[in-house]
């Protein structure tokens, strides 16, 4: 039975201000099976072809209902409401144990989202069917586990299932997507773009419904240096873990390599598996409070490894076991060890109180590990990990306040993005691991995780891994990632054999460039804290009209100003696709001479001392040393900020929102170009740091003073690099 009956829409309050008149509407398109259709300007754009109910995940099937939404046989109710001009809310309350929905689109449409992990190094989800849970050992990356019950399609809409319950998604049928969750009550949203092809607005609206990030501290972006085991691989004069950190600090000083933080992975504490007694092992950390204070004085924040894991015979295990807080049926003799059920208030409060030891001695963040290795029932993963990340956040925020510490995890569900940043798990130390990590970073952005990093050089290492070539290529990728973190030690340290001085050179160049890009990266993460948009962006987000751009898995926009194409294979060769139409232009960033047109593909060969990186026409790039961190080698150090401008007369006006960390507000930088006069003018507000305006032209660099409080500069006789 097919019919079209428009629902009487219940308008509810929303943070998204809007006027009741909307060109978009929702209607019942069929009652058997019950289905919904969303239209825009009277054209169907979303076919919610079925509501699925069942006693099990696999048995969930389309249901029939009255036009009012009453499910037949008194099985429940389906209701809809429009909460903004472009967002529709559907609520299903039933007597069934499992609830889901199916969406039908064109066979040519692609679906993106749900998982950070890049299945078969894909950007889309073609032929993928999997639960909303953590993955284990996989091709390219192990435990690559940020996830969200959200996807969008090139057909022009997004779907968000607002739940932490366990569920599964199925994209194996061309032109179809469906999900089923282990719940009898489910709310999901259909999200339309705010203008045609505006996929960024779909992500922005989705994150507005789920969660936005909290802006990280400046030290969170790195470069961050860490070891899988600072209690070994001692070099000359080193006798314990503390001295091992100092050895790293001294080499960074000697080589003038910028860094902002360090962290202790296990082992660092006493007891079984080095975690659960909430302490530092006095054999390797004889004076932990003084040690952490020393790191701070040297310019480093310090984080430690934590997990919801009760290892046998530790204080955590003994207390949790005595109180019945552990998930049953998990053998504590195994390495896994059971997790605490943090849904029990007493368990939550105890763990939080004991974990608070670490901020009390100066630790400023956690590496939050595990959560998906069998330490709890699978159906609890999303709920328990969200609780643990909240618990970890509360211990830190009570000591330091918001945005003054850095937590990051590998297993994160979307509601926790306001409580933890992410790294992409245990990437494999080979070029496959690098290629998968690039795609992983892009996919993380598509599900709303903007503050992201990978283990530079890979985590899963053999005796001779990473090779010098691989490590150098990965260093360049980390330069143009929101977070640059690098695992050293355990016989893999760039300034010790078997590595050469050339790798140290690459480390210095990449670490220092990333450090200087802090003003740029921070401005985009500030934007992400407001609108949810990623820093690493799929090409299709910035060039939605270019159909080819959605097929590219190893290039990305870094913010709006950079196009980056990491070399992810041995030998230094790759093809670079420049997205957009022929009217789009890109300038090679380092040489600042070669210009490329949108829609073209170019073969590139580069040594390990560089990476294919380009700026868009009219780009504005804030760059400089705005924090001191570990730079103790510069006498009378002072912060400075440069504005790098790449004007084009075909872009009469461009702008950049710069985040002033002191005033905690976005400051507009505006560049206007006048071809007739041959002039370029730049104006800026209170950026908080003085420096230089650098205007790049065919005739060289023109410059002007950048006043911290704001100002204006006009450049004459400009010969644009993009002209000709």
């Amino acid at each position: 039975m097919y019919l079209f009956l428009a629902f009487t829409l219940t308008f509810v309050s929303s943070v998204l201000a809007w006027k009741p008149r909307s060109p978009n509407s929702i209607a019942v398109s069929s009652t058997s099976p019950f289905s919904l259709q969303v239209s825009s300007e009277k054209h169907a754009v979303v076919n919610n072809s079925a509501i699925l109910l069942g006693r099990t995940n696999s048995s969930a099937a389309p249901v029939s209902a009255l036009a009012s939404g009453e499910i037949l046989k008194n099985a429940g109710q389906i209701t809809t409401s429009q909460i903004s001009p472009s967002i529709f809310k559907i609520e299903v309350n039933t007597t069934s144990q499992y609830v889901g929905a199916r969406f039908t689109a064109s066979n040519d449409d692609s679906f993106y989202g749900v998982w950070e992990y890049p299945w078969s190094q894909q950007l889309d989800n073609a032929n993928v069917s999997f639960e909303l849970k953590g993955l284990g050992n996989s091709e390219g990356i192990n435990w690559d586990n940020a996830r969200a019950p959200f996807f969008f399609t090139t057909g022009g809409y997004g779907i968000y299932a607002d739940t932490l319950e366990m569920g599964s998604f199925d994209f194996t049928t061309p032109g179809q997507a469906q999900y089923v969750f282990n719940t009898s009550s489910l709310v999901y949203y259909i999200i339309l773009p705010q203008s045609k092809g505006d996929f960024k607005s779909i992500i922005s609206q989705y994150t507005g419904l789920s969660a936005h990030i909290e802006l990280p501290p400046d030290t969170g972006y790195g470069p961050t240096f860490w070891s899988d085991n600072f209690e070994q691989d001692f070099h000359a004069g080193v006798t314990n873990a503390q001295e091992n950190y100092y050895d790293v600090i001294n080499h960074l000083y000697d080589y003038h390599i910028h860094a902002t933080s360090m962290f202790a992975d296990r082992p660092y504490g006493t007891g079984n598996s080095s975690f659960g007694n909430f302490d530092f092992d006095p054999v390797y950390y004889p004076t932990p409070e003084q040690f952490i204070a020393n790191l701070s004085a040297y310019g480093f924040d310090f984080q430690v490894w934590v997990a919801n894991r009760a290892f046998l015979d530790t204080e955590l295990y003994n207390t949790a076991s005595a109180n019945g807080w552990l998930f049953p049926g998990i053998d504590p003799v195994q390495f896994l060890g059971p997790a605490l059920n943090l849904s029990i208030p007493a368990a939550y409060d105890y763990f939080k109180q004991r974990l608070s030891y670490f901020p009390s001695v100066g630790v400023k963040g956690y590496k939050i590990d595990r959560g998906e290795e069998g330490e709890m029932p699978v159906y609890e993963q999303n709920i328990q990990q969200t609780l643990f990340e909240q618990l970890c956040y509360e211990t830190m925020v009570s000591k330091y306040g918001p945005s003054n510490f850095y937590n990051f995890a590998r297993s994160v569900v979307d509601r926790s993005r306001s409580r933890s940043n992410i790294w992409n798990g245990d990437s494999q130390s080979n070029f496959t691991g690098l290629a998968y990590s690039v795609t992983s970073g892009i996919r993380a952005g598509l599900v709303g995780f903007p503050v992201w990093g990978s283990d530079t050089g890979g985590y899963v290492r053999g005796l001779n891994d990473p090779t010098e070539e691989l490590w150098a290529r990965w260093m360049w990728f980390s330069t143009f990632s929101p977070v640059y973190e690098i695992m050293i030690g355990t016989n893999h340290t760039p300034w010790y054999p078997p590595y050469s001085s050339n790798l140290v050179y690459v480390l210095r160049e990449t670490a220092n460039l990333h450090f200087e890009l802090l003003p740029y990266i921070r401005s985009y993460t500030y934007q992400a804290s407001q609108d949810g948009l990623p820093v690493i962006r799929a090409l299709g987000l910035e060039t939605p009209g270019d159909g080819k751009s959605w097929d590219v898995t190893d290039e990305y926009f870094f913010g709006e100003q950079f196009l980056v194409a990491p070399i992810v294979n041995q030998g230094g060769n790759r093809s670079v696709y420049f997205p957009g139409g022929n009217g789009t232009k890109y300038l090679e960033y380092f040489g600042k001479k070669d210009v490329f047109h949108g829609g073209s593909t170019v073969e590139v060969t580069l040594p390990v001392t560089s990476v294919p990186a380009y700026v868009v026409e009219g780009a504005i790039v804030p760059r400089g040393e705005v924090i001191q961190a570990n730079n103790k080698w510069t006498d009378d150090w002072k912060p400075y900020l440069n504005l790098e401008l790449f004007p084009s007369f075909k872009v009469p006006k461009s702008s950049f929102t710069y985040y002033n960390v002191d005033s905690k507000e976005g400051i507009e930088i505006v560049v206007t170009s006048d071809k007739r006069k041959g002039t370029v003018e730049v104006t800026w507000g209170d950026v908080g740091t003085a420096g230089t305006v650098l205007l790049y032209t065919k005739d060289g660099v023109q410059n002007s003073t950048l006043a911290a409080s704001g100002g204006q500069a006009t450049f004459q006789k400009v010969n644009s690099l993009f002209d000709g």
Side-chain angles (χ1 to χ4, degrees):
M1 178 180 180
Y2 289 85
L3 68 162
F4 254 106
L5 292 174
F7 270 89
T8 301
L9 300 177
T10 303
F11 295 104
V12 298
S13 62
S14 171
V15 294
L16 304 172
W18 66 290
K19 296 179 180 179
R21 291 184 179 181
S22 168
N24 306 319
S25 61
I26 190 169
V28 177
S29 55
S30 169
T31 57
S32 183
F34 185 86
S35 59
L36 299 168
Q37 183 171 286
V38 173
S39 300
S40 180
E41 303 287 355
K42 299 183 180 181
H43 297 288
V45 291
V46 183
N47 182 13
N48 186 176
S49 54
I51 305 295
L52 308 173
L53 302 182
R55 292 184 177 181
T56 66
N57 187 345
S58 58
S59 68
V63 298
S64 298
L66 301 178
S68 63
E70 181 183 348
I71 303 171
L72 299 187
K73 299 181 181 179
N74 295 316
Q77 181 70 39
I78 303 165
T79 59
T80 70
S81 59
Q82 186 172 6
I83 66 171
S84 82
S86 50
I87 302 177
F88 297 88
K89 178 182 179 181
I90 296 87
E91 186 169 0
V92 184
N93 292 292
T94 81
T95 57
S96 297
Q97 292 95 328
Y98 287 81
V99 179
R102 178 180 296 159
F103 298 85
T104 305
S106 166
N107 286 353
D108 295 330
D109 289 343
S110 296
F111 296 93
Y112 300 85
V114 186
W115 306 279
E116 173 193 14
Y117 179 73
W119 309 90
S120 303
Q121 207 190 336
Q122 296 174 190
L123 203 57
D124 69 359
N125 292 332
N127 300 313
V128 177
S129 178
F130 195 71
E131 293 87 358
L132 190 71
K133 68 176 184 180
L135 288 81
N137 295 336
S138 305
E139 179 74 11
I141 315 168
N142 304 335
W143 312 106
D144 186 14
N145 286 337
R147 53 199 182 272
F150 162 77
F151 65 85
F152 68 92
T153 168
T154 49
Y157 62 88
I159 303 296
Y160 170 45
D162 188 5
T163 181
L164 287 175
E165 299 295 342
M166 186 52 61
S168 62
F169 285 78
D170 189 336
F171 299 95
T172 56
T173 301
Q176 179 177 292
Q178 74 173 42
Y179 51 77
V180 179
F181 286 91
N182 184 6
T183 181
S184 60
S185 180
L186 180 67
V187 172
Y188 64 93
Y189 299 88
I190 298 173
I191 306 169
L192 302 184
Q194 293 177 331
S195 61
K196 186 176 181 180
D198 186 4
F199 297 101
K200 290 194 289 188
S201 72
I202 295 175
I203 294 173
S204 183
Q205 291 175 91
Y206 149 64
T207 56
L209 292 167
S210 59
H212 287 148
I213 65 163
E214 182 173 283
L215 189 69
D218 286 345
T219 53
Y221 306 102
T224 297
F225 288 79
W226 68 284
S227 173
D228 201 36
N229 189 346
F230 267 116
E231 295 181 4
Q232 61 174 254
D233 192 23
F234 296 164
H235 294 273
V238 173
T239 62
N240 60 37
Q242 292 182 179
E243 293 172 358
N244 221 356
Y245 288 89
Y246 298 152
D247 183 65
V248 173
I249 291 170
N250 290 338
H251 279 86
L252 296 176
Y253 179 94
D254 291 341
Y255 289 117
H256 293 186
I257 297 172
H258 288 88
T260 63
S261 61
M262 308 179 90
F263 68 82
D265 207 298
R266 288 183 313 121
Y268 66 86
T270 64
N272 181 21
S273 297
S274 183
F275 180 76
N277 290 335
F278 307 102
D279 62 2
F280 290 90
D281 188 336
V283 175
Y284 296 99
Y285 294 85
T287 57
E289 254 186 283
Q290 185 58 55
F291 161 69
I292 296 170
N294 289 344
L295 292 186
S296 180
Y298 298 151
F300 294 84
D301 278 359
F302 183 62
Q303 298 102 24
V304 297
W305 183 100
V306 296
N308 182 9
R309 304 295 285 274
F311 298 116
L312 186 65
D313 295 330
T314 61
E315 178 201 322
L316 181 61
Y317 177 84
N318 293 337
T319 303
S321 179
N323 285 280
W325 297 338
L326 299 175
F327 283 104
I330 299 170
D331 185 358
V333 176
Q334 297 180 21
F335 171 72
L336 293 176
L340 279 70
N341 184 348
L342 298 176
S343 298
I344 302 170
Y348 186 99
D349 293 342
Y350 161 77
F351 208 157
K352 175 182 172 182
Q353 187 272 327
R354 295 300 290 122
L355 206 61
S356 295
Y357 161 76
F358 293 109
S360 77
V361 296
V363 172
K364 298 191 74 173
Y366 301 117
K367 176 183 181 178
I368 305 170
D369 211 351
R370 315 299 172 86
E372 71 294 70
E373 291 187 354
E375 65 269 48
M376 65 186 72
V378 170
Y379 62 83
E380 287 276 3
Q381 280 189 16
N382 299 332
I383 296 169
Q384 294 299 318
Q385 197 65 6
T386 298
L387 286 169
F388 187 57
E389 283 148 2
Q390 175 68 26
L391 181 157
C392 291
Y393 175 86
E394 289 174 355
T395 70
M396 286 290 162
V397 78
S398 64
K399 170 71 173 180
Y400 298 112
S403 298
N404 290 314
F405 56 92
Y406 187 75
N407 289 352
F408 61 110
R410 77 182 191 194
S411 183
V412 186
V413 190
D414 63 337
R415 289 192 194 176
S416 288
R417 72 166 64 90
S418 63
R419 297 297 178 251
S420 178
N421 306 292
I422 64 172
W423 97 99
N424 75 327
D426 298 348
S427 50
Q428 294 156 25
S429 187
N430 51 43
F431 278 102
T432 300
L434 173 56
Y436 269 65
S437 290
V438 173
T439 313
S440 167
I442 301 171
R443 288 189 62 117
L446 294 178
V447 289
F449 290 96
V451 183
W452 179 97
S454 63
D455 291 336
T456 304
Y459 176 84
V460 183
R461 299 179 176 183
L463 181 62
N464 298 312
D465 299 324
T467 65
E468 189 158 315
E469 179 185 5
L470 172 70
W471 215 351
R473 299 297 185 194
W474 212 312
M475 289 173 182
W476 281 111
F477 170 49
S478 293
T479 300
F480 291 98
S481 294
V483 176
Y484 188 138
E485 54 104 337
I486 179 169
M487 184 175 79
I488 59 172
T490 60
N491 302 311
H492 305 283
T493 301
W495 46 81
Y496 287 127
Y499 300 105
S500 73
S501 59
N502 191 51
L503 185 63
V504 177
Y505 170 82
V506 175
L507 174 61
R508 180 171 59 248
E509 291 297 299
T510 57
N512 290 356
L513 175 55
H514 180 86
F515 184 80
E516 289 182 11
L517 287 173
L518 169 60
Y520 179 86
I521 298 170
R522 181 177 65 194
S523 296
Y524 276 104
T525 55
Y526 166 72
Q527 177 182 336
S529 73
Q530 306 298 303
D531 63 17
L533 293 181
V535 183
I536 293 179
R537 301 183 178 184
L539 301 188
L541 290 182
E542 293 300 324
T543 56
D546 181 352
K548 291 182 179 179
S549 65
W550 286 110
D551 298 328
V552 181
T553 64
D554 58 0
E555 298 179 29
Y556 55 91
F557 283 97
F558 192 55
E560 295 180 353
Q561 317 294 315
F562 283 103
L563 173 69
V564 183
I567 294 176
V568 296
N569 53 273
Q570 192 171 6
N573 306 309
R574 70 155 296 154
S575 297
V576 177
Y577 177 68
F578 295 93
N582 188 53
T584 308
K585 293 182 181 180
Y586 301 86
L587 173 72
E588 195 277 317
Y589 179 62
F590 297 108
K592 297 178 176 60
K593 292 181 180 180
D594 297 328
V595 175
F596 303 90
H597 291 263
S600 65
T601 300
V602 175
E603 296 298 318
V604 174
T605 301
L606 287 174
V608 297
T609 52
S610 192
V611 67
Y614 311 86
V615 289
V616 301
E617 198 169 13
I620 301 169
V621 179
R623 176 176 164 180
E625 288 191 29
V626 293
I627 62 171
Q628 185 175 13
N630 72 324
N631 183 353
K632 309 300 183 183
W633 55 83
T634 299
D635 294 334
D636 300 320
W637 181 90
K638 293 181 180 179
Y640 69 88
L641 175 68
N642 293 337
L643 296 184
E644 297 183 340
L645 309 181
F646 302 88
S648 169
F649 291 118
K650 292 184 179 179
V651 182
K653 183 177 181 180
S654 57
S655 63
F656 185 95
T657 302
Y658 176 81
Y659 182 66
N660 182 326
V661 71
D662 296 321
S663 65
K664 294 181 172 53
E665 60 182 342
I667 304 299
E668 288 301 304
I669 301 167
V670 179
V671 174
T672 55
S673 303
D674 189 323
K675 185 175 182 179
R676 183 179 61 84
K677 295 180 180 179
T679 61
V680 172
E681 180 181 274
V682 55
T683 60
W684 64 94
D686 180 5
V687 292
T689 304
T692 306
V693 179
L694 301 171
L695 187 86
Y696 290 95
T697 75
K698 286 184 177 180
D699 302 317
V701 184
Q702 297 187 39
N703 61 74
S704 180
T705 299
L706 179 76
S709 59
Q712 177 269 339
T714 301
F715 299 90
Q716 308 287 341
K717 299 180 179 180
V718 174
N719 192 2
S720 171
L721 286 162
F722 293 94
D723 289 348

